[in-house]
Amino acid sequence: MSNLQWTEIIIFAVLFLVVTVLGFVAARWQAGSTLDHLDEWGLGGRKFGSWITWFLVGGDLYTAYTFVAVPALVFGAGALGFYALPYTVILYPIVFLPLLRMWSVSRVHGYVTPADYVRGRYGSRTLALLIAVTGIVATMPYIALQLVGLEAVLRTMGFNGSGFLGHLPLLIAFVVLAVYTYQSGLRAPALIAFVKDILIYIVILVAVFYLPSKLGGWETIFNTAQAKFDATKDNPNDGVLLSPANQLQYATLALGSALALFLYPHSLTGALASRGRNVIKRNMVALPAYSLLLGLLALLGFVAIQAASKPIVNQATGRPDTNTIVPVLFDQQFPAWFAGIAFAAIGIGALVPAAIMSIAAANLWTRNIYKEYIKKDADPKQEAKQAKLASLIVKFGAVLFILLVDPQFSIDLQLIGGVIILQTLPAVAISLYTRWFHRWALVAGWVAGMVWGFAMLYEIPNKAAGKAHFGGSALPLGQLSLFGWHPFAGSLTQIYVGFVALIGNLVVAVIATWILRAMKSPNGIDQTQNEDYHADEGDPRLKEVAVH
């Protein structure tokens, strides 16, 4: 750590101190009479307006890891990295109507988590438990990835040691995050998101106009990038354009990711915290502004090639950390004071989603495991206390994950997380429109999707990381096996594993439903009614937050 960038560190620390103060002040911002209630602590009182929701959901979906990993993927693989752009464009039309229905039924019945909704819709504790466990397992590596983004910035500023001191700034940041989230709940990331997103917009807009003008223009940048990809013979699928082999992967990865995003509990938490359907409608129209920013950000991967930026070597693993490529680019091309602002934007961008994700995971634990199986008579104050403690455990579990495990493994786990969260789509999203599926058929489909998805992921190597299994989420069609039959034998075209597993899930669920219905198997009691899915502000059926 002898090469510390003190100007960058000081600016980073000052801005971090500002958001820390905001995190503690948030406990009194738009607060009810007490935070000892899960609706208040975990959902901000369910009364966020359009602007707050826009910053909160934007800060939740467009994370620090996104802002370092997308351009890093473009830097390494080229056009494939742009899958994040169509994914976040088609996302909002897809979730627009289902999200409105989920908000309405959740407000009428006081649901806090997607597993709460599944429990009420199907009257099945088992299915709700599977949804809760899936959400928690898929969220944990997502939180760890926010630390990967924060560590990329810290390494660039000189904190690149492999021992305790090398990780000390990371530990301090997450202790502070844990304390103000424990105190303020969802209000803390909601308030901090204003600072984070304003900084991100300023930094990216400056970068995409200033850097190309400094480095010879976009034509030169694209030509240099293509020359670099042409020279890498070990990866025939990279380039500034997609190859025939990865076009299907690109399309299915974008669609699968779009279907999965609002199945993550933290994404739904931001929507349920809003005060009405009109707030969600406005946000589904306005949130694509972040997608425009993301497209501009992805181009920085090509800019880094033109600037001859090189990723920093992780001293703990001895391998280049490609996630440092954008921080290195900023460090090389901008004055230290502006690089410090950029690093603060990315660092704060790690804290906002990490806080929301830990709250969402804590809500799942409290409502669908603790109260359902451990303490059924828990009152609202006990629920809130349990959620606060669970959020602390989740955060420090993520920190330990980063300290003890190769960060590359966190990235691979996140790819797996996207595959497994997709398997909740029939029970959580499709059920908003139909209850035709039998509850036990949904369980069978979930099991089938999980087993097949993990079997396919196991067969995917990552030669660059020296891994024979679980090396990614793109499977060549030639390796796709149906009980030993290879319908696309010899094909090198790749496809997103999560998409294939979801199809298997749905097929099994449909067949099992036909069988169970033919057997006249009972399907549980639906506690929701059709009109519940259309309720809005002012509806007398809406449950108010009970704070005493």
Side-chain angles (χ1 to χ4, degrees):
M1 295 195 298
S2 58
N3 193 29
L4 295 176
Q5 308 296 317
W6 284 108
T7 302
E8 298 169 1
I9 292 171
I10 291 170
I11 293 174
F12 180 94
V14 168
L15 290 172
F16 186 84
L17 181 62
V18 169
V19 300
T20 298
V21 172
L22 288 176
F24 286 108
V25 169
R28 295 185 293 275
W29 175 55
Q30 293 195 358
S33 58
T34 178
L35 284 174
D36 289 331
H37 192 289
L38 207 54
D39 273 28
E40 281 290 338
W41 183 84
L43 289 179
R46 298 185 189 255
K47 55 189 176 185
F48 290 160
S50 298
W51 277 107
I52 299 172
T53 302
W54 188 70
F55 280 107
L56 177 66
V57 176
D60 185 22
L61 303 186
Y62 300 86
T63 67
Y65 179 70
T66 302
F67 283 107
V68 298
V70 170
L73 183 57
V74 171
F75 175 85
L80 183 64
F82 283 93
Y83 87 91
L85 192 56
Y87 141 43
T88 54
V89 169
I90 64 175
L91 163 68
Y92 301 108
I94 289 174
V95 304
F96 184 91
L97 294 177
L99 203 57
L100 294 178
R101 294 174 72 88
M102 179 62 83
W103 183 91
S104 293
V105 72
S106 297
R107 279 301 298 270
V108 169
H109 293 277
Y111 299 149
V112 175
T113 69
D116 280 351
Y117 160 72
V118 171
R119 175 77 165 89
R121 182 64 155 157
Y122 287 97
S124 173
R125 297 173 71 204
T126 302
L127 185 57
L129 177 64
L130 290 177
I131 299 301
V133 171
T134 303
I136 293 171
V137 171
T139 301
M140 285 295 292
Y142 221 149
I143 300 173
L145 283 186
Q146 306 317 308
L147 304 185
V148 171
L150 180 55
E151 273 213 319
V153 167
L154 294 173
R155 283 202 183 101
T156 308
M157 292 192 296
F159 297 100
N160 194 27
S162 57
F164 175 78
L165 290 178
H167 292 294
L168 185 60
L170 180 68
L171 294 173
I172 293 173
F174 261 70
V175 166
V176 172
L177 169 68
V179 172
Y180 66 62
T181 304
Y182 184 94
Q183 174 180 314
S184 304
L186 192 65
R187 288 178 174 83
L191 191 56
I192 293 171
F194 281 86
V195 178
K196 171 255 183 184
D197 290 346
I198 290 170
L199 289 176
I200 285 287
Y201 269 93
I202 292 172
V203 168
I204 300 306
L205 290 175
V206 169
V208 296
F209 286 104
Y210 171 73
L211 291 178
S213 64
K214 181 180 180 181
L215 297 171
W218 285 111
E219 182 178 2
T220 301
I221 290 170
F222 278 103
N223 288 338
T224 303
Q226 186 58 54
K228 180 250 189 184
F229 294 130
D230 289 340
T232 54
K233 303 302 182 183
D234 58 329
N235 186 4
N237 294 325
D238 60 8
V240 296
L241 297 176
L242 293 171
S243 71
N246 63 14
Q247 290 173 5
L248 181 62
Q249 176 196 359
Y250 182 89
T252 54
L253 182 58
L255 179 58
S257 299
L259 292 173
L261 187 56
F262 269 92
L263 295 173
Y264 279 103
H266 62 89
S267 302
L268 203 55
T269 295
L272 295 183
S274 62
R275 67 166 178 249
R277 289 165 65 101
N278 285 335
V279 171
I280 296 175
K281 290 176 184 178
R282 295 186 194 104
N283 274 271
M284 292 299 101
V285 172
L287 280 168
Y290 284 94
S291 302
L292 172 63
L293 192 70
L294 184 60
L296 297 174
L297 178 74
L299 290 171
L300 295 181
F302 290 149
V303 174
I305 296 174
Q306 173 66 22
S309 299
K310 302 295 181 185
I312 295 172
V313 175
N314 184 341
Q315 292 183 7
T317 64
R319 293 199 303 267
D321 179 3
T322 55
N323 291 312
T324 61
I325 197 65
V326 166
V328 167
L329 174 68
F330 279 45
D331 183 55
Q332 292 175 342
Q333 302 297 325
F334 284 109
W337 64 268
F338 188 82
I341 294 174
F343 296 161
I346 297 173
I348 297 167
L351 303 182
V352 171
I356 302 170
M357 291 169 191
S358 66
I359 290 170
N363 289 345
L364 283 168
W365 160 260
T366 303
R367 289 295 290 260
N368 308 114
I369 299 177
Y370 175 74
K371 187 171 183 178
E372 190 73 47
Y373 292 94
I374 300 173
K375 190 173 178 57
K376 295 183 179 181
D377 60 346
D379 60 31
K381 186 173 182 178
Q382 290 172 322
E383 283 187 24
K385 183 177 181 179
Q386 185 67 207
K388 291 176 182 180
L389 293 173
S391 73
L392 293 179
I393 294 172
V394 166
K395 289 186 191 73
F396 286 105
V399 171
L400 288 175
F401 206 91
I402 289 297
L403 296 180
L404 303 177
V405 179
D406 182 355
Q408 179 60 44
F409 187 55
S410 299
I411 297 169
D412 295 337
L413 269 185
Q414 170 52 21
L415 295 174
I416 296 171
V419 173
I420 68 174
I421 200 67
L422 258 181
Q423 308 317 309
T424 66
L425 185 139
V428 175
I430 295 178
S431 66
L432 288 166
Y433 290 92
T434 177
R435 200 172 176 269
W436 180 82
F437 285 106
H438 194 283
R439 55 179 176 167
W440 291 112
L442 290 171
V443 172
W446 180 91
V447 172
M450 289 292 183
V451 171
W452 197 21
F454 272 94
M456 289 185 287
L457 289 167
Y458 180 80
E459 297 297 328
I460 300 174
N462 185 336
K463 295 179 180 178
K467 299 182 65 174
H469 306 289
F470 296 108
S473 59
L475 181 76
L477 284 176
Q479 295 182 22
L480 188 62
S481 175
L482 299 172
F483 303 104
W485 174 51
H486 295 269
F488 306 101
S491 174
L492 297 177
T493 299
Q494 296 179 321
I495 191 169
Y496 176 49
V497 164
F499 193 77
V500 179
L502 177 61
I503 292 174
N505 180 337
L506 289 169
V507 169
V508 170
V510 168
I511 294 173
T513 297
W514 281 337
I515 294 172
L516 290 167
R517 285 184 175 275
M519 296 170 60
K520 300 189 183 303
S521 173
N523 196 20
I525 299 173
D526 184 3
Q527 298 174 4
T528 70
Q529 301 176 18
N530 185 57
E531 57 267 25
D532 296 345
Y533 296 87
H534 306 283
D536 201 355
E537 291 178 86
D539 192 303
R541 291 169 296 155
L542 295 190
K543 287 185 178 293
E544 296 298 328
V545 179
V547 286
H548 301 292

